[in-house]
C-alpha cells in the first residue's frame, strides 16, 4: 500500500464529504478535518504499520472506514479551495523544521497569547512557566482590548491591574535567578481606520503593542486603506493576523499587500504570523511578498492555554518555507533588542 495521501489531503476530502452529509455527521467530519492539521503522524503511515486510525483525534469507526478507502484508493485529483488552501499540517511543519533544527533551538519568545484576563484559561504565571519549559527568554501577554467584548476584552484599569500581576510574576522569577521575563502587551481592537481602542497613556506603559482587525472581516473589496491606517498608528508595533482568515470558515480580506508590506518596512513595523492552526496568517504567499519588501515578521501562537505554545512550530515552519531571514524575525531577538526596537519611533 503506497503512503501517497497526506493528512492535508484527508482533511480536504473530509470537508468535501461533509458538504453532502447529515448535520451530526457533517459536524464530526469538519471537526476531524481541523484535527487532521494537528495529527502527529501521517494517517497513511499508521495504516502501513497495521494500526488503527481511530488513534487519531476526531476519528471514530465511521470516519475510519472513509479514511481507509481514501488511503487504499487515493482520488486522482484533490484541489483545495482558497478557504482551505495553504495551511500546514503538524507533520508538514515538522518536516520543514527538521531540515533547520536551529530554528526551534534559537527562538527566544512568543509574541501573542491570551490568559484568563480575556478569553484564555491560563494565568499569567501559567503561561510564563510553560514558556520557561520551552527555554524562552520572554513572552508577550496580549489579552484582548476593551471593545472586543465577545472575547472578554479588558479596559485601561484592568490592563493596569494585569500589569501589577505581571510585575509580581517577574519579581518572583528574578528572585529565583531566572532570566525569563513576561512582557506587557495587548491585542488592540483596530477600527476600520486603524485606530485602536485603548487610551494612549495606557499603551505608552506597555513593552510592545500588537493590534488586529476583528470587524468587517468578510468584505470582498480592497481593504488597503485600513491597513495603511493601522501602520500609521504611532502606538502599533505589530500588525496581527492581517488577513483575518480562518480555516474552512472565513477567507479573509483582500488588499494591495506589496504596498502594505513596503509601508511596514518603511515604518519599521512587524507583520505577524499567527501560528494558531486554524489561522496560520500570514500564509506562505503573503510571507513571500513580505520577504521581498524587507519588513519585519513577528510570530505568535495566539495560545489560549499553556499547551498551545507548541503552535509556534507552524509559524516557524511558514517563515522558514518563505525564506524569511532570521534577522528580520522579532522572535530571534534578545529581550533587550526587542524592547529597544519596540520603543523606537519611525
Amino acid at each position: 500500500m503506497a503512503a501517497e495521501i497526506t493528512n492535508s489531503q484527508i482533511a480536504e476530502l473530509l470537508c468535501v464529504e461533509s458538504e453532502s452529509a447529515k448535520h451530526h455527521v457533517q459536524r464530526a467530519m469538519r471537526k476531524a478535518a481541523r484535527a487532521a492539521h494537528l495529527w502527529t503522524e501521517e494517517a497513511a503511515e499508521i495504516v502501513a504499520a497495521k494500526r488503527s486510525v481511530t488513534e487519531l483525534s476526531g476519528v471514530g469507526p465511521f470516519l475510519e472506514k472513509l479514511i481507509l478507502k481514501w488511503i487504499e484508493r487515493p482520488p486522482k485529483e484533490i484541489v483545495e479551495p482558497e478557504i482551505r488552501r495553504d495551511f500546514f499540517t503538524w507533520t508538514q511543519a515538522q518536516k520543514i523544521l527538521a531540515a533547520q533544527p536551529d530554528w526551534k533551538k534559537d527562538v527566544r519568545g512568543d509574541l501573542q497569547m491570551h490568559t484568563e484576563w480575556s478569553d484564555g484559561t491560563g494565568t499569567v504565571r501559567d503561561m510564563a512557566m510553560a514558556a520557561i519549559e520551552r527555554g524562552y527568554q520572554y513572552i508577550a501577554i496580549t489579552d484582548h482590548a476593551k471593545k472586543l467584548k465577545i472575547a472578554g476584552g479588558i479596559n485601561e484599569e484592568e490592563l493596569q491591574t494585569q500589569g501589577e500581576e505581571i510585575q509580581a510574576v517577574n519579581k518572583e522569577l528574578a528572585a529565583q535567578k531566572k532570566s525569563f521575563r513576561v512582557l506587557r502587551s495587548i491585542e488592540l481592537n483596530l477600527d476600520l481606520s486603524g485606530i485602536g481602542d485603548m487610551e494612549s497613556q495606557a499603551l505608552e506603559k506597555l513593552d510592545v503593542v500588537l493590534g488586529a482587525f476583528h470587524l468587517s472581516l468578510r468584505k470582498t473589496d480592497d481593504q488597503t486603506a485600513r491597513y495603511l491606517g493601522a501602520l500609521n498608528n504611532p502606538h502599533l508595533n505589530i500588525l496581527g493576523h492581517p488577513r483575518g482568515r480562518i480555516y474552512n470558515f472565513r477567507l479573509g480580506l483582500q488588499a494591495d499587500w506589496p504596498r502594505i508590506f513596503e509601508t511596514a518596512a518603511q515604518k519599521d513595523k512587524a507583520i505577524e504570523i499567527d501560528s494558531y492552526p486554524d489561522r496560520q496568517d500570514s500564509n506562505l504567499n503573503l510571507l513571500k511578498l513580505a520577504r521581498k519588501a524587507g519588513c519585519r515578521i513577528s510570530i505568535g501562537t495566539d495560545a489560549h492555554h499553556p499547551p498551545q505554545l507548541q503552535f509556534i512550530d507552524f509559524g516557524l515552519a511558514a517563515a522558514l518555507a518563505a525564506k524569511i531571514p532570521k534577522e528580520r524575525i522579532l522572535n530571534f531577538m534578545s529581550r533587550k533588542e526587542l524592547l529597544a526596537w519596540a520603543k523606537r519611533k519611525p
Side-chain angles (χ1 to χ4, degrees), residues 298-323:
S298 175
I299 303 176
T301 56
D302 207 347
H304 287 63
H305 325 288
Q308 291 180 343
L309 294 185
Q310 68 177 328
F311 294 165
I312 196 81
D313 286 8
F314 287 108
L316 290 170
L320 186 54
K323 299 181 180 179

Side-chain angles (χ1 to χ4, degrees), residues 283-308:
N283 63 353
L284 192 57
N285 289 336
L286 291 191
L287 288 172
K288 289 177 179 178
L289 294 174
R291 181 197 67 208
K292 186 176 180 180
C295 67
R296 294 187 189 271
I297 297 297
S298 175
I299 303 176
T301 56
D302 207 347
H304 287 63
H305 325 288
Q308 291 180 343

Side-chain angles (χ1 to χ4, degrees), residues 157-177:
E157 183 178 349
E158 291 167 320
L159 181 64
Q160 177 60 33
T161 305
Q162 184 195 64
E164 294 166 5
E165 181 179 329
I166 288 173
Q167 185 178 27
V169 170
N170 283 335
K171 186 175 181 180
E172 174 191 345
L173 294 173
Q176 296 172 5
K177 309 294 185 185

Side-chain angles (χ1 to χ4, degrees), residues 82 227 241-245 251-254 257 281 283 286:
E82 191 177 358
Y227 292 104
H241 50 74
R243 281 193 63 185
R245 72 172 189 164
L251 187 59
L253 300 172
Q254 303 297 320
W257 297 111
D281 178 19
N283 63 353
L286 291 191

